[in-house]
């Protein structure tokens, strides 16, 4: 069996941070670079709109990751509709599947992009599953 390059970590990331719109491109840190450097895989959320079936599938994926020892976080963008996370629709779907809501970190586009990238890196490095859960799944 090969090791997981994601380091047992997955981040829910809104479309806004992957397909960065011109209106806020310069204000956003290189989130994908920070995630990669921190050993996180990415689960992309859809852009704003009705995506009920897709969000249900994403909730299934998050629940599977969470139930199999992955640390799951959500990275949003302050000022975007729902912070880009579809939280009002995604949270009940996760609860229904018995998955805890992942900790959220919000990127603030009105702050220096380099400082925001550093703040994100600190958040990511400070989060993981409790040691007993890590032992259960990652040994």
């Amino acid at each position: 069996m090969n090791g997981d390059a994601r380091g047992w970590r997955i981040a829910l990331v809104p479309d806004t941070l992957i397909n960065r719109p011109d209106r806020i491109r310069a204000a956003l840190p290189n989130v994908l670079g920070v995630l990669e450097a921190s050993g996180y895989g990415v689960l992309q959320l859809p852009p704003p709109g009705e995506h009920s079936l897709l969000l249900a599938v994403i909730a299934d994926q998050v629940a599977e990751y969470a139930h199999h020892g992955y640390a799951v976080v959500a990275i949003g963008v302050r000022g975007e509709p729902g912070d880009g996370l579809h939280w009002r629709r995604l949270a009940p779907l996760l609860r229904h599947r018995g998955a805890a809501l992942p900790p959220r970190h919000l990127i603030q586009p009105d702050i220096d992009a380099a400082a925001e990238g550093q703040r994100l890196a600190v958040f990511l490095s400070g989060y993981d599953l409790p040691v007993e859960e890590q032992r259960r799944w990652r040994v």
Side-chain angles (χ1 to χ4, degrees), residues 82-106:
D83 299 325
L85 295 172
H86 301 273
W87 213 246
R88 287 189 1 208
R89 288 182 290 169
L90 194 55
L93 293 168
L94 290 171
R95 281 190 208 100
H96 178 73
R97 287 155 176 81
L101 299 180
R104 289 182 283 176
H105 176 86
L106 296 180

Side-chain angles (χ1 to χ4, degrees), residues 16-94:
T16 301
L17 291 174
I18 294 175
N19 299 306
R20 302 182 312 175
D22 290 337
R23 65 183 166 77
I24 60 172
R25 182 181 308 256
L28 296 173
N30 178 2
V31 171
L32 294 179
V34 174
L35 289 168
E36 183 178 14
S38 300
Y40 275 77
V42 172
L43 187 55
Q44 181 178 351
L45 293 167
E50 263 315 303
H51 303 287
S52 296
L53 292 177
L54 182 54
L55 290 174
V57 170
I58 289 170
D60 288 340
Q61 291 173 324
V62 169
E64 281 298 308
Y65 281 122
H67 291 150
H68 288 93
Y70 281 74
V72 181
V73 298
I75 311 299
V77 181
R78 189 175 309 280
E80 291 296 302
D83 299 325
L85 295 172
H86 301 273
W87 213 246
R88 287 189 1 208
R89 288 182 290 169
L90 194 55
L93 293 168
L94 290 171

Side-chain angles (χ1 to χ4, degrees), residues 124-137:
L124 295 171
S125 69
Y127 177 72
D128 205 342
L129 295 179
V131 174
E132 54 277 359
E133 276 296 301
Q134 290 179 36
R135 283 191 202 122
R136 178 177 175 210
W137 293 104

